[in-house]
Each structure stands twice: as C-alpha cells, then as structure tokens.
Amino acid sequence: MLRWVRQQLGFDPPHQSDTRTIYIANRFPQHGHYVPQKFADNRIISSKYTVWNFVPKNLFEQFRRVANFYFLIIFLVQLMIDTPTSPITSGLPLFFVITVTAIKQGYEDWLRHKADNEVNGAPVYVVRSGGLVKTRSKNIRVGDIVRVAKDETFPVDLVLLSSDRVDGSCHVTTASLDGETNLKTHVAVPETAVLQSVANLDKLVAVIECQQPEADLYRFVGRITVSQQTEEIVRPLGPESLLLRGARLKNTKEIFGVAVYTGMETKMALNYKSKSQKRSAVEKSMNSFLIIYLIILLFEAILSTILKYAWQAEEKWDEPWYNEKTEHERNSSKILRFISDFLAFLVLYNFIIPISLYVTVEMQKFLGSFFIGWDLDLYHEETNQRAQVNTSDLNEELGQVEYVFTDKTGTLTENEMQFRECSINGIKYQEVNGKLTPEGFTEDSPDGNRHSLMKEEELFLKAVCLCHTVQINADQTDGADGPWHANGIASPLEYYASSPDEKALVEAASRVGVVFTGTSGDSMEVKSLGKSERYKLLHVLEFDPNRRRMSVIVESPSGEKLLFTKGAESSILPRSKSGEIDKTRIHVDEFALKGLRTLCVAYRRFTPEEYQEIGKRLHEARTALQQREERLADVFNFIERDLELLGATGVEDKLQEKVQETIEALRLAGIKVWVLTGDKHETAVSVSLSCGHFHRTMNILELVQHKSDSTCAEQLRQLAKRIKEDHVIQHGLVVDGTSLSLALREHEKLFMEVCKNCSAVLCCRMAPLQKAKVVRLLKTSPEKPITLAIGDGANDVSMIQEAHVGIGIMGKEGRQAVRNSDYAIARFKFLSKLLFVHGHLYYIRIATLVQYFFYKNVCFITPQFLYQFFCLFSQQTLYDSVYLTLYNICFTSLPVLIYSLFEQHVHPHVLQSKPVLYRDISKNAHLGFKPFLYWTILGFFHAFVFFYGSYLLMGEDTSLLGNGQMFGNWTFGTLVFTVMVITVTMKMALETHFWTWINHFVTWGSIVFYFIFSLFYGGIIWPFLHTQDMYFVFVQLLSSGSAWFAIILIVVACLFLDVVKKVLYRHLQPTSTEKVQLTEAGSGINCLDSMCCFSDGETACTSVRRMLERLMGRCSPTRVNSVCKVTEETCI
C-alpha cells in the first residue's frame, strides 16, 4: 500500500526502465499521452552535510563510537542521580572531543560545499529558442543542446552532435578522469555532423535511446533516430560518441552536444566511489584494550558497591551520628539504592576509559600524514611528483606489512617501450641505423643509403601503421610536404597513444620508412619511403581484455577490403590458418625469454560478399540496445578468423631504477613479494629474474597450463612434496591464470601451503579480479597477515582496494590506481623509505601513544579507588572536579602528542639502510598483549606508590604549617595529583629518544603550567564558582618543605625501577633496534629527518621554520633540493 502511494505521488517510479529516451532540445511528442521521464538536475554534490542536518547527523556519527557513547551515558547518569563528581567532569571532556571533531569535519565539508558551488555556478551556453543562452551549469537539463569551446571542460555527459570540422570529429583529453594525457578522437553521426550552426541545430528533430547511467567510463550503448523529411535514420552510438563530464576539448574550436546524463548521474560522479573503510591493526588492538579496561571499570565499581554494603552491615557505620539518614532514604528500595551506588562508583572511576585518546590519535594521524608529502626523498624531480596521502588512517599499518603484491608493467618497469626486434614471415629482424636488418646480417650501410622494403616487410609495417589508436599533434599535419624533408627522410612526428606499445611500434615503423602521417575524416594516410597512400577506415574492432586483440577493416587504394589485427600470441596464432606460424611461435618465445613484450600481427582479405555480410552483422550488433557487448563479441569472433600471419613484435620495457635493491631490502625485512601480472609466462619469468624477484640459485617451481582439476591437484601435491624434500633450498613459484582458477576452486588449502613455503611467487596471465582474489586469499588465511598491493593501472584497482594498504604508482597508465589508493608514490623504489622509515616510525609512535594513554589513566583513577578504603566507600572524590576535568585535556595531553609526531627512536638513515630492523615491529609486536600488560601493571604500580607513598610520608600526624595545622582531605588529594602529573610527564620523557626544542617546551612546560594554574585557581576567590574547596590549598602545600621532599622522593621511587628495568633489558636481552640505539648513542640526531632532508648543523628552530614554510606553501621541493646537498650522513 505504501509503495503504491509513493508511486502515485511520483516518489517511486512504478517500473524503472533499463533505457532512457531523450528528445533532443526537449521536443516532446505532441500526440498521445506522453509522460516525460524524470532525470536528475546538473548539480554536483560531494558534500556530506547541509546546514540543517549537520548537527544531528554529525552527532549521530560521533556517538556511534563506543567511548563517546559511554561518556554520554556517564554524563546523563551524573545529571539524573546524586553522584560524587560534577556532571562537568564528564561533560566538558566529552564536549571538547565532540566539538574538535565536529569542527574538523565541518571545515572539510565546507571546503567541499565551496568547490561544489564553483562547479555548479560555472557559466555555460545552451541552445534555446533558436539562439545561444548563457546560463549556469546547474541549470542544464537532459536533452539540452550545449556548446563547448576549445580548452573548456564538458559540464555534463554529452552525445556529440557536431563540431567545427566537416567530419564532425573532435579531440578531447580525459586526464582529469583517468589520467591519460593522450588525445582521444570522438565522432558525431553523419546526419548531425553537418549541422554546424545554432539555427540548423534548433531545427533538428531526433531521439536518443541509451542505457541508464553506469560508472564504467569506457562503456556506452545507445542509438539515435534522426527524422529527415519522411524517413527516420537510425545510427548506433558508442563510447566514441560520448563526451564525459570533466574531460577537456582540445584542438577543436567548438562542439555542440546533447546532454544525456546530468549531475550525480554523470559517469564522473558515479565514479566518486566511497571506498570501504579500512581499519588498521592498531585500531583493532585499541578497541580490544578499551573492552578490557571497561571490564576493569565494572569490576572496580561492583567491588566497591559490595564492600560498601559489607562495611555498612554494622549499624555504627550504616548511620553514624554525624550523618543521619532522612526518612526517605530509610524507606527507599535496597535494589534501587544498590543500583544508584553502583552507578555512582561507575561515574567516580569512569576516567579509566581515556575519552581523549580518540581525538589525540586522529590529530596524530592527520598531522603525521603531512610528513610523507614533505619528505624530499619521496619526491620525483623529473615528473615533479611528491608522495600523496589519500587516507591518514593507515599510517602505522605501513610498519606491519608481511606480504607485498605488485604489478609488473609500469610498477617494476618504466612503461616506456622501445622497439627491439620483430619477426616477419619467419625471419627475425632488428633495427640497425634506421632500417630493418635480418638476424645475422652484418653489412653496415651508411645512414643515408635506404634499401627498398620487401613485399612482406612492407605489408607488416603497414599493418603496424594502420592497426592502432595513435593520434598525431595537429600542428604537425599541416603543409603539403607533411613531415618529410626533401631527401625523403622523415622528421620526427609527435605521436599520442593510450598504449605505450602502440606508440613504440608506430615510431619504429616511421624510422624504417613506413610513416603514419595522420587521419583525415575516415581516411588514414601512410607514407612508404615517401610514397603516400590513403586507406579508408571502414570499421574499428576495439581492443578488450577478453579477446586480447584489436582490429581495423580498411579499404586499400586499389579498393580491396582488408582486416589488420594485432594482439597477444594466444589470441592470434590459434586463429591463423597460413603464414610462418611455427617459426613465429618460436620467435615469440625467444623474445619473451629476453623479457620483451610480444604482439602478433595478422591480416585477412575479404571478398565483396564477405564484407557485405560483415557490415550487416556489425550494424545489427552495434545498434542493439540489449546485450550489445555479447553480440559484438560474437561478430568480432566471426570476423577475426582464417587469418594470415604476418609476424610478431618484441618491445622492451625497461626496469625502473633501484627495483632490484628495493625487492632485496623487502626480503631482508621479512616481507614476501608476489608479482601479479597479465604478461605471458616467459616474459614474466625473465623480468622476475632481472629484477631480483627470482634468484638464479632459486628452485623455480611451475604450476602452468593445466586444464583440469585432477592434473592441477596432482601437480600441487608433487610441488608440496618437492618443497618438503628440498627444504634447505629457496623456492620460487610460477602460476598462470587458468591454473590459479583451478587451484582456488577445489584445492585452496594445498595451494596456500605451497605458496607460503616459497620465498617468491609469480602469477602471470592474471585478470584484474584474479589479482584481488589472490590478495583476499592471503588476507583471510588463518595467520591473517597484513598485505600491501602496489600498482599503476586501472587493472590494479581491485587489488589495491582489497589489500590492507593500497599504493598507487603515478605512472603512464592513467590515475585510476592513484585515485583508489591509500598512498601514492612516483616510483617503486620509494616503497622502501615508505615502509622502513615512515611505517616503522608511525607504528612505534602510535603504539606508545595508545599504551601511554591507558597507563596514565590507570595512574589517574586507581588512587581514587584506593581512597575509598579510607572513606568507608562513601564515594568521596580524591581530586577536585577541575583537576578531574583538565587532567587529560591540558596537563598531560601535549607531551604525548608531540612525541607521537616527532619521535625517532632510531635515525631514519639507519632504518632504511638496515631493513632487518623492520622485523622487530612485525606482527604488532609493540602493541600485543605482553606490552599492554606491562604498561597496565606499571600504571597500577605507580598508582600504588603515589597513594601509599603520600599516605605514609604525609598522611598521618604530619604538621603542614608551623601553627600545627594538619593535612586535610583536599591537600592530600592535591599532593597525590601533583606527584602523578610530574611522574607521568617524566615517564613520557624517559620514552623519548629524539629531543627537539618543541619536546622540551611541552614536557617541562606542562609541569610548569600545572603549577601556575593551580596557584591561580587556588589563590584567588573566583566569583562564578559556587564552592571553592581548593582555596589556598596548593599554596599551603608548596609552603611545606616536607611536601617538596615527599614529591621528589615519590617521583624518584616510581621511575627508578623503570629505569633499572630498561638498562638491564638493553644490556642483557637487547633487540636489534636497541643494539643500533646503543651504537649511535654518541652521535645523536640533529635534524627533523621525518619531515624532509636538511643539511647538517641546522638548529631546531630552522627545522621548524622550514616546516612552517611548507605549511604555508612557501617551501617547494625543487628549491629545497637545489639548496640542500643530500648526503648519507645527514639525510634519511
């Protein structure tokens, strides 16, 4: 019934269609009962809150946190019942935490609102009522005809109608969408391409039917029906017709397009994918510790309540003469009184749960993440790219990585292809002095002496020059002579290509005499040794990962219809019926063994009847609205058969700098490296050997080319047996995609056992989802290791999102990986610095931060518990309510925050040069149960010393003043609190290895601030306070010499055993890290290495000044690099 009402009101469409119908210029049919479809407006909304929902929505999200909700309950209890402490003691810290977090989130959302308003208010031109109307971007509706000029970005997703060119083509760059800077060509259908004026477009009567919005940037299925006089012409629409919001128009004066997807339904907006929230191991440990402390709190509250009633069983303690009960108290329910007392004790001890821990951790992660971006060692000067942090929640997880999953192309290699060899008609060739030379040919011809190409060579090179998606800089295609000099030698053309392989092949062909000189309309021009030939481009059969090939159908100058196709050898050779197939297969394997990337090239001639059949099938498949991809795949397979093999190419992709050293360092750190690539088996193995992933001494095991479960299982069992027999030797495993699918289907456990016993694993012929599946397999194994995935392309996104930590490489395959990653770096070699230095330091800092917080709160609240034994569990508080409120907020917060930002327990240079130190912190070693137990017991020990030390020294029969006045309740509590503040601050000082002036300032400044605050708070009568129990208490305490003696004695007693323990452990059972600390103890650290590299001898003030300059944007890495000479002794 409710659904029916929603449908009638228009809130819930009764039947959501799979397609949408768009009437161009919103010319809806006048006949019948047409009901226009409802589409989204063109506003982009990236903000999370509005003015109206910010407060309730933000509060709801914050109180979903256990600690915040717990303190809210405590605050409400204090308001409802008579508790020993003021509601302010819980309410003020809670208010502080909630306010700080809300301000941070509100500011971030305000920036998003500001950016949205700029985008939505941008001026655009729309064709309405026969003219161009200027309006705002947010006012564009689906069906509007929009004009976009050169270098402008598209405000909506448009179907191209026409451009200033006769053929209706335009060039765009999608760098802001996928990072690809090459020019992409988009074309309009012929019927609308001729409509180049506003007046003609205003007369256009056409309807577009297309799919509903989806996030895939490269998929679009639709058709346009153009009404011309008495006939209707139907044309297919694909990705080549769609101009995406966010892309930019290039090399074209202006275009007109019709809006098909607007606002949050554009493909750009649909790719604002909110990534699944990743939680670090530290956060999980922190939540476990909170639960343990909650149990301690409940135990203390229940025990205190029971002991109170046990004590009051005697009548003299139940109702002493100085505290007689009222009639209401005598008649009240015992159960209600018990619950009330339990809640009162819960309030009294609630500060054992550190509410400010969350906000401190958030500040530490947020501020600490800037150091990664500031690190000049992670700055790549050639590309002017610095490290990028997309999420600061996983900083410490960088110090816990056990498995690294890496892509090969563009991650381990440069993704800069260079043509090396080719095979034509069964003969291997190399490029020598700008010409193709058969293998073994030694004659060295002069550069200018060009030989004529053989027929097979020329046909092969023409196939390479025609079968691609390469574009040429428009400025170079002008002029009658094109790019040729008078002597017939080509001058370099500037090519743009989405695939580096294609660019390398087209450039190589141009160097040896067959030059692709550009496209004109539907024609492609090729010059063979100066002779120009024009081929008409009939159809393009686009590349897709399933076919692993692309093809073009062209009409030669003689009128012959030809198919040229290129792709992986596994997709070309089985479809070839003639040519030197066996010889080419051998050559392809030889190329792969050299580490070259291979492609096979073939062609086919069509008879007029065959071409007519093909054209018909292609048109039917391309105009289909349902299952278009499946139909096109069938047609492509029908076309790409009975091929004649021309040859194969071998292109080299060079390794990045210091890849081998980085992989070896990761291995020394105890991290296992898996390479997951789509390349063929031989190429992948060759690159693994060259980059040090596989050693020459390694026993290489193979699980490849299995077609059935039984053979795969048998091979796995044999591999497991060999590993057990040769357990001394290091093993490397190679597995391909098909064998992996079989292994994961039925034999997952056996496969994992084999993999874990191998030092290195190489997975080749991997699909993107298989990469993610492998990561998930390791991630969810019983040991639950911390995984890191690193890649540079769109095919690595699923793997990056699946791993605990995802790192994107700012490479040449777009920015999809960077956008979806947690961290982004320019080169693979930077991974060692990111893990061994930043990861190590972040982990040590936050592990100490979390445990110190619990320690200081145990120190804080345990004396309160012990005091109840001396006041008959009357719930009398030991500390003044102001001290309760400010302990975590003011007195002890800054030293640990500064420690968690600047601490360097080992010099960063040492951490990077000795990867073995990374093992000391693996498997959450510093935040496990033993360290947690140590800090908790230490907190209880110090609390007992505070309380009983103060009690024994000053608690009984000790005169405070010369007039004989004795210690009072508040004076005793203040003494305990003073000792506690000094001790926990000094404990933080003992944990600090790296001292800057900031550490000195906040450590000693916190103690001084406490004394100054207490003197002012207790030395003045404040008119706004109802009671002032602390008046003159602190002054009287400090006027006593015995009090000063007690403070010094108790602080030394607390810290003495801690110092002794540290010294003994360091000398008797030192870890690798502690050994390094001892060796460098004399040298010291004198620069803020965690921020960036600075020259030796700088003062701390200079370092901080540089940090502030960076914050204000006045310190560029380029300038600092030129000023600072980076040396091993002074830099990280």
Side-chain angles (χ1 to χ4, degrees):
M1 180 67 183
L2 180 62
R3 183 175 178 80
W4 180 85
V5 171
R6 286 175 58 83
Q7 288 176 1
Q8 300 310 308
L9 293 173
F11 296 122
D12 194 359
H15 298 290
Q16 182 67 39
S17 173
D18 292 333
T19 61
R20 57 170 52 187
T21 303
I22 300 156
Y23 292 88
I24 294 180
N26 292 307
R27 288 193 177 87
F28 303 117
Q30 301 300 317
H31 59 276
H33 302 284
Y34 173 73
V35 179
Q37 288 178 278
K38 292 189 176 181
F39 303 117
D41 60 28
N42 198 39
R43 286 180 303 162
I44 286 291
I45 302 171
S46 62
S47 55
K48 192 175 180 180
Y49 306 106
T50 66
V51 175
W52 311 109
N53 71 8
F54 173 72
V55 173
K57 191 173 181 180
N58 187 264
L59 288 177
F60 173 73
E61 289 176 350
Q62 291 207 55
F63 284 120
R64 285 164 65 184
R65 281 185 167 174
V66 176
N68 289 351
F69 184 71
Y70 162 78
F71 268 86
L72 176 64
I73 296 299
I74 293 294
F75 177 65
L76 294 176
V77 167
Q78 287 178 295
L79 290 175
M80 289 187 293
I81 67 170
D82 184 19
T83 56
T85 57
S86 166
I88 295 174
T89 58
S90 294
L92 191 61
L94 178 64
F95 177 76
F96 173 77
V97 170
I98 296 295
T99 304
V100 168
T101 307
I103 290 171
K104 173 179 170 285
Q105 293 177 350
Y107 174 71
E108 290 173 350
D109 206 62
W110 176 76
L111 292 178
R112 287 191 285 266
H113 271 284
K114 189 177 177 184
D116 289 347
N117 291 335
E118 287 180 8
V119 171
N120 295 331
V124 293
Y125 287 91
V126 178
V127 177
R128 285 179 187 162
S129 304
L132 275 180
V133 178
K134 187 177 181 180
T135 183
R136 293 181 181 275
S137 174
K138 63 182 178 182
N139 298 327
I140 297 175
R141 299 169 296 170
V142 170
D144 281 346
I145 299 175
V146 182
R147 192 205 75 168
V148 179
K150 183 180 178 181
D151 292 328
E152 290 181 354
T153 56
F154 301 116
V156 290
D157 286 353
L158 301 165
V159 165
L160 179 60
L161 294 177
S162 66
S163 71
D164 63 321
R165 299 180 180 181
V166 178
D167 60 358
S169 66
C170 71
H171 297 297
V172 305
T173 176
T174 56
S176 61
L177 294 173
D178 57 14
E180 295 178 4
T181 55
N182 59 293
L183 296 180
K184 295 183 174 67
T185 303
H186 291 258
V187 291
V189 298
E191 287 71 26
T192 63
V194 296
L195 306 175
Q196 295 181 306
S197 67
V198 174
N200 288 336
L201 283 167
D202 195 50
K203 298 172 186 175
L204 174 64
V205 178
V207 179
I208 291 176
E209 294 173 89
C210 62
Q211 63 185 157
Q212 293 292 357
E214 64 170 38
D216 190 341
L217 293 173
Y218 311 106
R219 184 174 183 271
F220 178 68
V221 178
R223 67 185 174 203
I224 182 170
T225 304
V226 182
S227 300
Q228 290 188 344
Q229 296 168 355
T230 58
E231 63 174 338
E232 290 187 344
I233 301 171
V234 180
R235 295 286 186 182
L237 298 174
E240 72 283 349
S241 304
L242 186 67
L243 305 172
L244 300 178
R245 177 173 191 148
R248 190 178 293 272
L249 185 65
K250 290 286 187 182
N251 290 3
T252 310
K253 185 179 178 182
E254 67 175 10
I255 65 98
F256 290 94
V258 59
V260 289
Y261 304 131
T262 51
M264 298 308 292
E265 292 183 341
T266 58
K267 289 184 180 288
M268 183 183 76
L270 293 174
N271 275 275
Y272 291 156
K273 179 175 174 285
S274 57
K275 294 178 288 187
S276 58
Q277 189 68 29
K278 295 181 179 179
R279 295 173 62 216
S280 68
V282 169
E283 190 177 343
K284 294 171 186 174
S285 298
M286 197 165 73
N287 291 338
S288 302
F289 298 160
L290 276 172
I291 292 171
I292 292 172
Y293 270 65
L294 192 59
I295 292 169
I296 294 173
L297 169 65
L298 292 172
F299 171 76
E300 288 184 349
I302 292 170
L303 180 63
S304 298
T305 309
I306 292 171
L307 289 175
K308 175 178 181 177
Y309 281 89
W311 213 304
Q312 290 181 354
E314 296 183 42
E315 193 172 337
K316 65 174 182 176
W317 297 122
D318 182 37
E319 192 175 353
W321 60 270
Y322 55 84
N323 190 18
E324 292 184 3
K325 293 181 180 179
T326 63
E327 195 64 32
H328 175 73
E329 288 174 334
R330 291 194 185 97
N331 297 329
S332 62
S333 167
K334 288 185 177 181
I335 295 174
L336 289 177
R337 276 190 301 171
F338 185 90
I339 293 173
S340 177
D341 284 328
F342 168 74
L343 292 174
F345 280 117
L346 206 63
V347 168
L348 192 65
Y349 304 147
N350 80 84
F351 283 96
I352 198 171
I353 306 294
I355 185 175
S356 54
L357 172 61
Y358 278 115
V359 74
T360 307
V361 166
E362 273 196 16
M363 289 173 67
Q364 188 269 345
K365 288 183 175 183
F366 175 71
L367 296 174
S369 64
F370 286 104
F371 296 160
I372 293 176
W374 291 340
D375 191 341
L376 295 185
D377 280 354
L378 302 182
Y379 169 70
H380 193 242
E381 194 167 5
E382 292 174 22
T383 56
N384 191 30
Q385 290 171 330
R386 66 176 74 200
Q388 182 178 318
V389 180
N390 296 328
T391 174
S392 59
D393 293 337
L394 303 170
N395 294 343
E396 65 278 5
E397 204 81 332
L398 294 169
Q400 295 295 295
V401 175
E402 296 171 62
Y403 283 86
V404 167
F405 298 91
T406 175
D407 176 42
K408 182 182 76 67
T409 305
T411 304
L412 299 179
T413 61
E414 288 283 3
N415 205 10
E416 284 184 1
M417 309 303 174
Q418 291 183 340
F419 175 80
R420 291 300 180 207
E421 296 183 69
C422 67
S423 171
I424 304 174
N425 200 31
I427 302 172
K428 280 204 292 186
Y429 291 81
Q430 292 180 331
E431 183 188 352
V432 179
N433 294 331
K435 65 181 181 181
L436 283 181
T437 305
E439 190 177 44
F441 187 78
T442 56
E443 183 181 350
D444 189 13
S445 303
D447 290 350
N449 182 21
R450 304 182 64 84
H451 75 297
S452 61
L453 294 168
M454 294 170 58
K455 182 181 178 183
E456 295 85 358
E457 295 172 353
E458 189 174 6
L459 184 59
F460 174 84
L461 292 171
K462 284 180 179 177
V464 168
C465 284
L466 292 170
C467 186
H468 57 72
T469 57
V470 175
Q471 300 291 330
I472 297 177
N473 189 336
D475 298 335
Q476 291 186 290
T477 59
D478 299 332
D481 295 331
W484 286 80
H485 295 306
N487 60 3
I489 300 175
S491 65
L493 280 170
E494 188 178 356
Y495 291 111
Y496 297 95
S498 55
S499 165
D501 298 77
E502 286 189 339
K503 183 182 177 185
L505 292 174
V506 172
E507 287 175 341
S510 70
R511 289 195 298 271
V512 298
V514 181
V515 185
F516 168 64
T517 57
T519 59
S520 176
D522 58 356
S523 297
M524 301 178 74
E525 188 174 342
V526 174
K527 285 188 177 182
S528 179
L529 297 176
K531 181 183 176 183
S532 181
E533 294 181 4
R534 193 177 292 269
Y535 289 81
K536 186 177 182 181
L537 182 61
L538 302 173
H539 297 285
V540 177
L541 281 56
E542 297 83 2
F543 174 86
D544 69 67
N546 297 321
R547 285 170 42 245
R548 296 178 66 82
R549 59 185 180 271
M550 79 156 287
S551 303
V552 294
I553 301 176
V554 296
E555 182 180 335
S556 69
S558 62
E560 198 174 15
K561 306 293 193 300
L562 299 173
L563 168 81
F564 290 112
T565 183
K566 75 170 188 293
E569 88 290 342
S570 60
S571 67
I572 300 293
L573 295 181
R575 296 180 163 270
S576 301
K577 69 171 185 178
S578 59
E580 297 291 344
I581 298 174
D582 293 332
K583 287 183 179 179
T584 304
R585 182 180 281 112
I586 293 170
H587 291 164
V588 166
D589 290 340
E590 289 175 0
F591 294 164
L593 286 171
K594 295 177 183 178
L596 303 181
R597 292 165 62 89
T598 59
L599 288 172
C600 287
V601 182
Y603 85 113
R604 176 185 174 186
R605 286 184 169 89
F606 295 121
T607 64
E609 294 77 16
E610 286 176 332
Y611 178 72
Q612 191 174 358
E613 173 69 14
I614 286 168
K616 181 182 176 183
R617 289 196 178 198
L618 275 173
H619 182 74
E620 289 175 356
R622 282 183 164 149
T623 53
L625 285 180
Q626 304 296 329
Q627 298 180 324
R628 181 182 289 186
E629 284 83 0
E630 292 81 354
R631 294 188 185 187
L632 280 174
D634 292 339
V635 176
F636 289 173
N637 287 328
F638 173 75
I639 296 171
E640 296 166 329
R641 61 190 174 89
D642 300 332
L643 303 173
E644 184 175 337
L645 187 64
L646 291 173
T649 62
V651 175
E652 182 186 31
D653 189 5
K654 292 193 301 181
L655 282 175
Q656 287 187 17
E657 185 186 2
K658 293 187 178 180
V659 166
Q660 191 165 354
E661 293 90 331
T662 303
I663 290 177
E664 185 57 33
L666 291 171
R667 189 176 283 116
L668 288 173
I671 298 172
K672 289 189 176 182
V673 180
W674 288 33
V675 176
L676 312 181
T677 178
D679 274 351
K680 71 191 301 284
H681 172 204
E682 293 82 3
T683 306
V685 171
S686 176
V687 172
S688 279
L689 286 167
S690 63
C691 73
H693 179 235
F694 283 166
H695 287 301
R696 298 287 174 184
T697 57
M698 247 182 209
N699 182 21
I700 307 297
L701 309 174
E702 292 189 348
L703 183 70
V704 294
Q705 296 180 347
H706 288 285
K707 304 296 182 185
S708 66
D709 278 340
S710 56
T711 59
C712 184
E714 181 59 31
Q715 179 69 6
L716 277 171
R717 281 189 283 271
Q718 288 181 9
L719 294 178
K721 185 179 178 182
R722 283 182 62 185
I723 290 172
K724 286 181 181 177
E725 291 172 353
D726 302 331
H727 61 277
V728 178
I729 305 172
Q730 282 191 327
H731 300 280
L733 177 68
V734 183
V735 57
D736 63 8
T738 54
S739 303
L740 180 72
S741 298
L742 294 170
L744 298 184
R745 191 182 303 163
E746 300 288 341
H747 318 289
E748 191 176 289
K749 191 173 180 183
L750 183 59
F751 175 70
M752 285 305 302
E753 183 185 337
V754 171
C755 288
K756 287 181 179 177
N757 289 317
C758 292
S759 302
V761 177
L762 168 64
C763 300
C764 53
R765 291 295 191 210
M766 297 282 285
L769 289 177
Q770 281 184 310
K771 292 183 178 184
K773 197 168 184 180
V774 169
V775 176
R776 191 183 310 119
L777 187 67
L778 259 293
K779 193 170 122 179
T780 57
S781 62
E783 294 83 4
K784 293 198 170 14
I786 303 299
T787 58
L788 179 147
I790 179 169
D792 73 318
N795 59 333
D796 302 315
V797 169
S798 55
M799 170 177 78
I800 285 170
Q801 290 184 330
E802 184 62 47
H804 291 96
V805 182
I807 296 185
I809 296 285
M810 302 169 190
K812 298 180 175 64
E813 288 192 21
R815 286 291 184 271
Q816 297 98 317
V818 171
R819 286 204 314 268
N820 289 278
S821 65
D822 304 306
Y823 302 89
I825 52 179
R827 287 294 181 269
F828 183 80
K829 66 178 181 179
F830 295 154
L831 185 63
S832 61
K833 176 73 180 289
L834 195 64
L835 298 186
F836 303 152
V837 178
H838 289 287
H840 195 125
L841 293 177
Y842 282 135
Y843 176 74
I844 291 293
R845 291 165 182 168
I846 202 164
T848 307
L849 164 69
V850 170
Q851 296 184 117
Y852 176 79
F853 250 92
F854 285 108
Y855 153 80
K856 71 186 181 76
N857 277 42
V858 168
C859 290
F860 181 40
I861 220 65
T862 304
Q864 187 90 274
F865 172 70
L866 297 175
Y867 186 59
Q868 297 307 303
F869 288 88
F870 293 84
C871 65
L872 294 183
F873 294 92
S874 61
Q875 298 149 11
Q876 169 62 40
T877 178
L878 178 63
Y879 314 121
D880 182 71
S881 60
V882 171
Y883 286 160
L884 282 170
T885 305
L886 298 182
Y887 175 75
N888 278 315
I889 295 177
C890 296
F891 299 145
T892 60
S893 59
L894 277 180
V896 67
L897 177 61
I898 296 301
Y899 169 93
S900 67
L901 291 175
F902 297 130
E903 172 63 2
Q904 295 177 16
H905 64 302
V906 177
H907 196 288
H909 173 68
V910 177
L911 287 176
Q912 191 167 7
S913 61
K914 297 190 176 184
V916 71
L917 297 179
Y918 195 80
R919 294 173 183 255
D920 282 356
I921 61 169
S922 62
K923 297 188 183 298
N924 208 11
H926 286 250
L927 209 56
F929 185 72
K930 283 185 179 178
F932 168 71
L933 191 63
Y934 164 74
W935 280 89
T936 302
I937 292 174
L938 184 68
F940 278 112
F941 168 72
H942 283 180
F944 273 79
V945 175
F946 299 157
F947 184 83
Y948 287 108
S950 300
Y951 180 75
L952 292 173
L953 291 172
M954 304 293 289
E956 289 189 358
D957 301 328
T958 303
S959 295
L960 179 62
L961 300 173
N963 61 6
Q965 186 175 340
M966 308 298 290
F967 253 125
N969 171 54
W970 296 115
T971 312
F972 176 75
T974 304
L975 175 62
V976 174
F977 191 84
T978 303
V979 170
M980 177 173 56
V981 169
I982 296 172
T983 304
V984 298
T985 306
M986 293 295 292
K987 172 61 181 170
M988 189 75 265
L990 284 177
E991 294 297 316
T992 304
H993 295 87
F994 178 52
W995 284 88
T996 66
W997 71 266
I998 304 176
N999 295 78
H1000 284 291
F1001 178 77
V1002 298
T1003 300
W1004 315 121
S1006 292
I1007 297 174
V1008 171
F1009 172 74
Y1010 164 70
F1011 276 88
I1012 293 174
F1013 173 84
S1014 297
L1015 286 171
F1016 273 91
Y1017 171 59
I1020 300 173
I1021 297 177
W1022 300 99
F1024 53 83
L1025 295 177
H1026 297 295
T1027 60
Q1028 201 161 343
D1029 299 323
M1030 294 294 293
Y1031 181 67
F1032 230 67
V1033 168
F1034 197 71
V1035 176
Q1036 289 180 334
L1037 180 68
L1038 297 186
S1039 66
S1040 169
S1042 56
W1044 282 104
F1045 175 75
I1047 291 170
I1048 295 170
L1049 187 63
I1050 294 169
V1051 170
V1052 171
C1054 284
L1055 299 177
F1056 177 73
L1057 290 178
D1058 199 38
V1059 172
V1060 170
K1061 178 255 178 190
K1062 278 181 176 290
V1063 172
L1064 290 177
Y1065 267 81
R1066 280 174 175 271
H1067 287 83
L1068 298 178
Q1069 291 182 335
T1071 62
S1072 302
T1073 305
E1074 289 169 343
K1075 289 176 183 175
V1076 170
Q1077 288 174 339
L1078 289 171
T1079 57
E1080 65 170 14
S1083 62
I1085 303 171
N1086 55 10
C1087 67
L1088 290 178
D1089 298 282
S1090 63
M1091 296 181 191
C1092 49
C1093 286
F1094 300 119
S1095 55
D1096 196 14
E1098 288 186 342
T1099 64
C1101 294
T1102 311
S1103 300
V1104 173
R1105 177 178 58 79
R1106 287 187 184 275
M1107 177 186 72
L1108 294 174
E1109 284 181 339
R1110 286 187 170 278
L1111 282 169
M1112 293 183 288
R1114 290 163 51 195
C1115 187
S1116 68
T1118 310
R1119 182 171 66 82
V1120 176
N1121 251 350
S1122 62
V1123 173
C1124 301
K1125 184 179 178 182
V1126 181
T1127 63
E1128 280 195 342
E1129 291 76 25
T1130 59
C1131 287
I1132 308 170

